[in-house]
Amino acid sequence: VSTQSTGEAVELAPVADNSYIIRPNFKDKFKPAVVKDAIQEVVSEHLKDKNYDPEQAPAWCKTITEAVKERVKQLGMDRYKLAINVVIGEQRGQGIKVGCRCFWDSDTDNYAQHLYLTTLCFVLPPPSVSSSIEVWF
């Protein structure tokens, strides 16, 4: 508690000590299977009964990105950054290659991906890396 010049008592927030922990605990390690299930749920939920529309695809990408980010945060993996990229395209039998690069800690980093494919569209999820998690669609 501190007092201002007016004499009013002001409650100060407690200050936490720096833990200097730069890696996640073993129990909080990135779990690709759990994240993949979360990605699959979000994508299916947002794209069910939708046909590919080039006008709507950018908005769908943004919505899915935010939803995946929130869902993965709810899984309690606190010491990970999320870098999420969503690619939605029209399915016409063409091929596509998507790649990414990042620094990787083989002890803690990993990835999760899910490909959502219909006869009309695809949602391509390149890997999600745990320390800087990337969920690609």
Side-chain angles (χ1 to χ4, degrees):
V1 176
S2 175
T3 59
Q4 294 180 337
S5 60
T6 60
E8 296 176 23
V10 177
E11 187 78 24
L12 297 177
V15 178
D17 293 331
N18 192 340
S19 65
Y20 299 104
I21 297 172
I22 60 171
R23 306 176 94 183
N25 294 328
F26 182 75
K27 67 179 177 89
D28 297 327
K29 213 170 175 182
F30 184 78
K31 299 169 185 79
V34 175
V35 174
K36 180 179 176 158
D37 290 343
I39 294 168
Q40 184 176 0
E41 288 175 24
V42 169
V43 172
S44 298
E45 175 183 309
H46 282 82
L47 293 179
K48 65 180 177 197
D49 303 324
K50 289 189 179 172
N51 294 325
Y52 178 75
D53 180 359
E55 301 292 323
Q56 293 294 318
W60 295 343
C61 288
K62 191 172 189 177
T63 303
I64 291 170
T65 299
E66 291 301 318
V68 167
K69 182 171 68 171
E70 289 305 313
R71 184 75 56 89
V72 173
K73 282 183 178 182
Q74 291 172 0
L75 297 175
M77 297 177 209
D78 296 332
R79 293 212 164 260
Y80 293 106
K81 289 183 179 180
L82 302 175
I84 301 171
N85 185 25
V86 176
V87 177
I88 297 178
E90 185 173 13
Q91 176 68 296
R92 290 188 163 182
Q94 74 279 22
I96 183 170
K97 288 187 179 184
V98 176
C100 70
R101 291 184 178 189
C102 61
F103 290 107
W104 189 277
D105 181 348
S106 59
D107 290 338
T108 58
D109 295 344
N110 210 330
Y111 70 94
Q113 62 184 12
H114 172 68
L115 173 63
Y116 180 85
L117 188 62
T118 69
T119 57
L120 300 173
C121 75
F122 65 87
V123 180
L124 181 67
S128 63
V129 182
S130 55
S131 253
S132 41
I133 296 178
E134 298 183 16
V135 180
W136 297 73
F137 295 93

